[in-house]
C-alpha cells in the first residue's frame, strides 16, 4: 500500500519561496500510469488543485498558480516537490500530496499546514 508524507516549513513570511517535499513509500513514483499531485485547502475553503508530475516526469499546473509554481521529482529518493514563489497570506493552507489515477486520487498524505504571516 502506497503511503505519502509531506514535509516542509510550517511558518513563512510574505515574499518567501515555499518548498514542500512528498516522500512516497510502498510504490515508485515512476510506475506507469500514475500521477503525483499537490492539492491545498485554505482555512474554511474548498480543496484546490495546485499541480502535479506524471510518472514520466511531465508537469502540469493550475493556471491560476502556474506563474509561481514549480514541481519536480527526485527518483532516487522516491520524492516529488513543490516550490511556490512569492507567497502571500492567501497561500496559507493545508498542503496535501496525493497519487492520482485516471479515476481520481487514490492515496493521500496527511497534509501539512503552511501559514504565511508577517
Amino acid at each position: 500500500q502506497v503511503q505519502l508524507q509531506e514535509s516542509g516549513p510550517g511558518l513563512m513570511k510574505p515574499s518567501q519561496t515555499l518548498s514542500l517535499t512528498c516522500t512516497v513509500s510502498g510504490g515508485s513514483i515512476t510506475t506507469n500510469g500514475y500521477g503525483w499531485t499537490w492539492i491545498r485547502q485554505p482555512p474554511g475553503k474548498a480543496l484546490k488543485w495546485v499541480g502535479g508530475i506524471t510518472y514520466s516526469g511531465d508537469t502540469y499546473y493550475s493556471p491560476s498558480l502556474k506563474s509561481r509554481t514549480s514541481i519536480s521529482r527526485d527518483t532516487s529518493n522516491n520524492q516529488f516537490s513543490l516550490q511556490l514563489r512569492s507567497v502571500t497570506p492567501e497561500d496559507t493552507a493545508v498542503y496535501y500530496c496525493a497519487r492520482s489515477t485516471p479515476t481520481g486520487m487514490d492515496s493521500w498524505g496527511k497534509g501539512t499546514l503552511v501559514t504565511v504571516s508577517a
Side-chain angles (χ1 to χ4, degrees), residues 1-3 24-29 31 36 78 99:
Q1 180 179 354
V2 68
Q3 294 184 320
V24 179
S25 58
S28 172
I29 63 171
T31 298
W36 304 91
N78 215 35
R99 187 175 73 172

Side-chain angles (χ1 to χ4, degrees), residues 4-87:
L4 300 92
Q5 177 66 58
E6 305 89 351
S7 59
L11 181 63
M12 302 193 63
K13 294 186 182 300
S15 82
Q16 291 183 328
T17 296
L18 169 64
S19 294
L20 294 174
T21 295
C22 183
T23 300
V24 179
S25 58
S28 172
I29 63 171
T30 61
T31 298
N32 194 337
Y34 290 113
W36 304 91
T37 304
W38 289 99
I39 303 106
R40 71 182 188 180
Q41 186 170 31
K45 297 185 179 180
L47 291 167
K48 179 181 175 68
W49 175 72
V50 176
I53 188 165
T54 69
Y55 68 94
S56 59
D58 294 325
T59 54
Y60 44 99
Y61 302 104
S62 166
S64 65
L65 296 171
K66 183 176 182 178
S67 65
R68 299 193 290 129
T69 307
S70 297
I71 295 174
S72 60
R73 65 179 184 171
D74 178 354
T75 56
S76 62
N77 288 307
N78 215 35
Q79 297 174 326
F80 63 105
S81 298
L82 168 70
Q83 282 200 331
L84 182 64
R85 295 175 289 276
S86 302
V87 298

Side-chain angles (χ1 to χ4, degrees), residues 79-107:
Q79 297 174 326
F80 63 105
S81 298
L82 168 70
Q83 282 200 331
L84 182 64
R85 295 175 289 276
S86 302
V87 298
T88 73
E90 286 66 42
D91 294 310
T92 294
V94 177
Y95 285 76
Y96 298 93
C97 58
R99 187 175 73 172
S100 59
T101 74
T103 57
M105 315 295 178
D106 69 348
S107 298

